[in-house]
Amino acid sequence: MKHLVKRLVALAACATATLGFAQVPSVPPAQPAEAAAATQQDTSTHALTSEDLSSFFDGLVPFAIQRGDIAGGVITVVKDGNVLFSRGYGYADLKTRQPISPETTLFRPGSTSKLFTWTAVMQMVEQGKVDLDHDVNDYIDFKIPPYEGKPVTLRNLMTHTAGFEEVARDLLPATSDEVNLERYLKTHLPARIFPPGETVAYSNYGCGLAGYIVQRVSGERFEDYVQTHILQPLNMTHSSFAQPLPATLEPLMSKGYKTASDGKAQPFEWVDPAPAGALSSSAIDMAQFMIAQLQDGRYGDSRILKEDTAKLMHSPQYTASKGMVGFDLGFYQEDRNGLRIIGHGGDTEVFHSDLHLLLDKNVGVFMSFNSLGSAVGGAHTIRGAIFFAFLDRYFPHPLQEQPAIASAKADAARVAGWYESSRINLSALRPFNLLGQMQVNAMPDGTLTIAALSDYAGQPLHWREVSPLHYVEENGQRKLDFIADANGNIKYWATDDISPVFVFNRVPAAKSMGSVSLWASLSLVVVLGALLFWWLGAWMRRRYKRPFEVALVLRRSRLWSRIGALLLLGDLLGWVVLVAAISADENLLLRGSATPWFYLLYVLGAVSLVGALAVVFHTVRNWQLALRGLWVRVGETLLAFAALYLAWFILAFGMISFNVRF
């Protein structure tokens, strides 16, 4: 859930996911040819037993969490309807050194909670109370406006293709009094920026809306509905969507930490909308949910979904590129090592979790960590690395040699450029989105690199084109596809290197980071230089008692020109300070406390546009009257061009939108 927030404030391009999404390699670093060949030929497997899992995880996880600066975590594996392995590592409370119990210690699985919301929706579907392809307005008491005449459906919500822009404000409110599903949905309605069903763009709001539909159609409060119709039938006695937790569960909640070395326990995190990520649960309870999903809705003598409904839920519904992983109904696809895998990750600020279902093997894996950990090697890296190592140990898959095609160099040049995530806010955060752009680089040998897609060592992965616009990882199995329109123009790229919850749309050259960073920097240098010369000239005249040798007719326009330049500089520096402040404390964005500063900068931006006109007016007057030297007029012209570019920049990146929907 927090990956997007990271991306929006550009803490690191795709670090995240929260890019949020930290990257982990699918295979070890490149090996000599002989060793690689031997690896490909070795298809031996370890027996998937509790004993072997104990040896595997006990040898890997303690070092991983210590190296990643994580206080503790838990891992559970189920197979064929039974819990095969479940163990806690580290501590639930660093101060008391309380160990983690898979049975009773509660974690916050974040957006993995959405799977319970989607399950509740499917219960409504099989009861005939909702239709996946009806307008959601049929089920709610407010209106979601159509996009180009097209409504939002539940199928759109479950595949995150409703076309909503991202909204982050009030996602993690400060107190429980601020948690209110109905109020949140009615006051945080996001703009529609894509046609429904066409572009995947992960949306917490969309899941919250689905939970509200369950609440209205069932006649039960969402949290109560899930408790009665999912948690109780699965005997999940250590789980709840309630905020605050029931008195019986509250003492069992693991503490959450930013890092283990910091050691400062963070307060319980309130989540709004609750259906998007408010679950608290133990590892064993999550195991029971996995078993029910793997057994097509059945757990013991209980059933939460009919078999056909569960199979529909686990069936492909959307992909951004043919052959690429995409979405089932609520679950996203994670196919790897030749296996059909579905799952969902989840993140609060301090808890980080993953749930994976190997459908054809009847195996499920759940893991959760109670700390973010270090920037390199923390929870985001560890959870992916552990799962990949698990797959490679128990379900190894030989790599297939795929040579590059003849047009690789030409195609690399064609796709090179700047791209931005489809999970984006255009109403208020366009300046932040600029910093989140990612560059696709064409290498001399025809391969591609993208800095945000890197290996354990932080080195960019290299991608080789094996068919037109279809790339695979060098010495690996991950895929990267570019999608072109009918005219052959590149629209976006998608990859299975990260969860398929967004794509990366191509940015027009004029708005790309490569162009903007160059021209905005040069323009700011010109503006700053003009202001420095203005100040220095005034100081020298006072110092040496020299007269101001500018015709009276130009003095006033010159003064307004310099004030205009100062306003432009001040506005842009103000945005830099705001971005830095939100990067240091994202709660300024999440809890809306940055709103007054947005309005202040919007006003300053509007005044700055008038200032840019003053700069241009003074330049025109200089040329019309020809009362000053040629080089002075050339300098004023450079300042005018710089002011015009910065004025365009302010308009192009929404710095006067007067919109605080973020």
Side-chain angles (χ1 to χ4, degrees):
M1 205 163 44
K2 293 298 298 303
H3 292 150
L4 177 62
V5 176
K6 301 289 186 185
R7 187 178 303 280
L8 289 176
V9 300
L11 300 179
C14 203
T16 324
T18 97
L19 133 268
F21 293 90
Q23 309 307 319
V24 289
S26 57
V27 296
Q31 310 169 64
E34 298 82 359
T39 299
Q40 292 181 11
Q41 295 171 3
D42 181 12
T43 58
S44 62
T45 61
H46 289 261
L48 185 58
T49 63
S50 57
E51 293 79 11
D52 198 82
L53 285 167
S54 294
S55 298
F56 173 61
F57 286 125
D58 289 353
L60 175 63
V61 179
F63 173 76
I65 63 173
Q66 184 176 12
R67 181 68 177 82
D69 204 6
I70 292 169
V74 66
I75 298 178
T76 292
V77 178
V78 301
K79 179 174 172 55
D80 297 331
N82 298 298
V83 176
L84 195 60
F85 173 87
S86 191
R87 188 159 300 165
Y89 297 92
Y91 300 102
D93 187 330
L94 286 174
K95 185 176 181 180
T96 64
R97 285 297 194 258
Q98 178 185 344
I100 291 171
S101 165
E103 291 80 12
T104 59
T105 302
L106 272 59
F107 283 73
R108 304 298 305 283
S111 284
T112 310
S113 309
K114 289 179 171 67
L115 297 178
F116 292 80
T117 303
W118 304 132
T119 300
V121 170
M122 295 307 292
Q123 290 178 337
M124 298 291 99
V125 170
E126 70 178 20
Q127 294 170 29
K129 295 181 178 179
V130 299
D131 188 299
L132 289 174
D133 298 308
H134 279 188
D135 186 342
V136 295
N137 288 317
D138 295 343
Y139 309 117
I140 58 178
D141 57 346
F142 63 103
K143 186 174 178 60
I144 306 295
Y147 184 97
E148 298 178 351
K150 298 179 180 179
V152 172
T153 68
L154 275 166
R155 195 183 303 273
N156 297 149
L157 297 181
M158 296 185 77
T159 56
H160 293 273
T161 58
F164 291 131
E165 73 173 352
E166 176 63 14
V167 286
R169 184 176 177 180
D170 300 327
L171 183 63
L172 297 176
T175 67
S176 61
D177 294 337
E178 300 172 53
V179 177
N180 184 299
L181 177 58
E182 180 178 352
R183 182 178 62 203
Y184 177 91
L185 294 172
K186 292 179 177 179
T187 58
H188 291 72
L189 180 62
R192 305 279 300 285
I193 59 175
F194 302 116
E198 293 188 13
T199 301
V200 61
Y202 191 78
S203 175
N204 288 306
Y205 182 92
C207 187
L209 182 60
Y212 186 58
I213 290 172
V214 170
Q215 178 170 292
R216 285 185 52 80
V217 171
S218 69
E220 301 178 54
R221 184 170 171 265
F222 171 78
E223 292 85 345
D224 297 334
Y225 178 89
V226 174
Q227 188 72 36
T228 301
H229 299 279
I230 300 177
L231 302 183
Q232 288 180 6
L234 298 182
N235 196 31
M236 296 178 66
T237 57
H238 292 86
S239 301
S240 178
F241 269 85
Q243 299 179 103
L245 284 168
T248 55
L249 296 182
E250 191 275 335
L252 304 177
M253 186 70 226
S254 170
K255 305 295 185 184
Y257 304 88
K258 292 183 177 179
T259 62
S261 57
D262 170 72
K264 182 179 179 181
Q266 301 298 306
F268 184 86
E269 297 167 290
W270 315 103
V271 178
D272 204 16
L279 179 66
S280 301
S281 184
S282 71
I284 289 296
D285 277 16
M286 293 300 291
Q288 289 153 199
F289 177 75
M290 289 193 293
I291 290 170
Q293 289 289 344
L294 288 166
Q295 296 186 154
D296 293 328
R298 179 180 60 82
Y299 178 76
D301 295 329
S302 299
R303 181 168 283 280
I304 58 171
L305 291 173
K306 295 179 181 177
E307 183 176 345
D308 289 346
T309 306
K311 289 183 181 299
L312 174 63
M313 189 178 186
H314 302 160
S315 65
Q317 302 290 318
Y318 170 88
T319 181
S321 175
K322 186 177 181 180
M324 185 67 70
V325 294
F327 265 93
D328 294 350
L329 286 171
F331 286 91
Y332 52 67
Q333 298 160 0
E334 305 179 298
D335 298 358
R336 188 177 176 81
N337 285 28
L339 302 173
R340 188 165 61 110
I341 306 172
I342 62 175
H344 210 293
D347 304 85
T348 66
E349 287 200 13
V350 292
F351 287 91
H352 305 275
S353 310
D354 267 328
L355 181 150
H356 312 278
L357 301 180
L358 286 62
L359 295 179
D360 298 328
K361 300 296 183 179
N362 207 12
V363 169
V365 179
F366 173 76
M367 64 185 79
S368 188
F369 300 93
N370 63 8
S371 316
L372 173 60
S374 59
V376 177
H380 293 310
T381 299
I382 287 172
R383 63 185 183 179
I386 289 174
F387 182 58
F388 288 174
F390 169 86
L391 291 178
D392 289 341
R393 181 178 180 87
Y394 298 106
F395 307 99
H397 186 69
L399 297 179
Q400 296 180 352
E401 183 64 30
Q402 300 183 70
I405 63 176
S407 61
K409 289 187 178 181
D411 287 342
R414 176 184 171 195
V415 303
W418 292 85
Y419 297 77
E420 66 182 7
S421 169
S422 59
R423 189 184 180 191
I424 201 169
N425 177 286
L426 297 180
S427 294
L429 299 181
R430 276 182 278 171
F432 297 77
N433 299 335
L434 173 64
L435 299 179
Q437 290 182 17
M438 288 184 288
Q439 186 177 17
V440 174
N441 301 289
M443 307 305 289
D445 62 355
T447 61
L448 301 176
T449 63
I450 303 171
L453 306 183
S454 58
D455 62 16
Y456 290 130
Q459 298 301 310
L461 299 172
H462 285 252
W463 303 88
R464 180 176 68 254
E465 188 179 25
V466 296
S467 62
L469 301 183
H470 176 72
Y471 293 76
V472 296
E473 172 196 1
E474 292 274 16
N475 301 313
Q477 58 180 290
R478 286 176 282 200
K479 296 181 291 186
L480 173 70
D481 284 359
F482 290 83
I483 306 302
D485 61 19
N487 297 318
N489 300 312
I490 302 300
K491 295 194 301 181
Y492 62 83
W493 59 265
T495 180
D496 60 2
D497 187 42
I498 53 180
S499 303
V501 296
F502 38 71
V503 294
F504 296 86
N505 293 313
R506 189 153 203 169
V507 179
K511 292 185 177 182
S512 71
M513 189 63 174
S515 171
V516 167
S517 61
L518 172 63
W519 293 109
S521 297
L522 290 175
S523 298
L524 286 171
V525 168
V526 170
V527 168
L528 185 59
L531 292 172
L532 287 174
F533 277 113
W534 184 36
W535 174 82
L536 185 61
W539 179 82
M540 292 183 68
R541 286 192 298 273
R542 288 196 301 270
R543 178 75 172 79
Y544 296 103
K545 299 180 180 179
R546 300 291 298 273
F548 186 30
E549 297 177 353
V550 174
L552 185 62
V553 70
L554 288 175
R555 289 190 181 186
R556 181 168 294 177
S557 65
R558 181 177 181 272
L559 174 63
W560 285 112
S561 170
R562 298 309 185 260
I563 292 175
L566 186 61
L567 288 170
L568 285 166
L569 181 65
D571 183 50
L572 293 171
L573 288 179
W575 280 101
V576 170
V577 170
L578 181 61
V579 170
I582 291 175
S583 298
D585 182 7
E586 60 192 21
N587 284 323
L588 293 172
L589 191 68
L590 290 172
R591 293 171 182 165
S593 51
T595 299
W597 298 104
F598 274 87
Y599 280 124
L600 177 62
L601 290 174
Y602 288 151
V603 172
L604 183 56
V607 176
S608 297
L609 295 183
V610 178
L613 293 177
V615 173
V616 173
F617 176 76
H618 177 64
T619 301
V620 172
R621 294 269 290 172
N622 265 287
W623 284 101
Q624 286 178 334
L625 300 177
L627 296 176
R628 305 202 71 187
L630 176 62
W631 288 112
V632 171
R633 283 180 283 170
V634 169
E636 295 289 359
T637 302
L638 286 175
L639 180 59
F641 278 120
L644 285 172
Y645 183 84
L646 294 179
W648 170 85
F649 181 86
I650 289 171
L651 289 169
F653 290 98
M655 296 179 180
I656 55 169
S657 71
F658 287 94
N659 192 318
V660 291
R661 182 168 53 194
F662 51 74

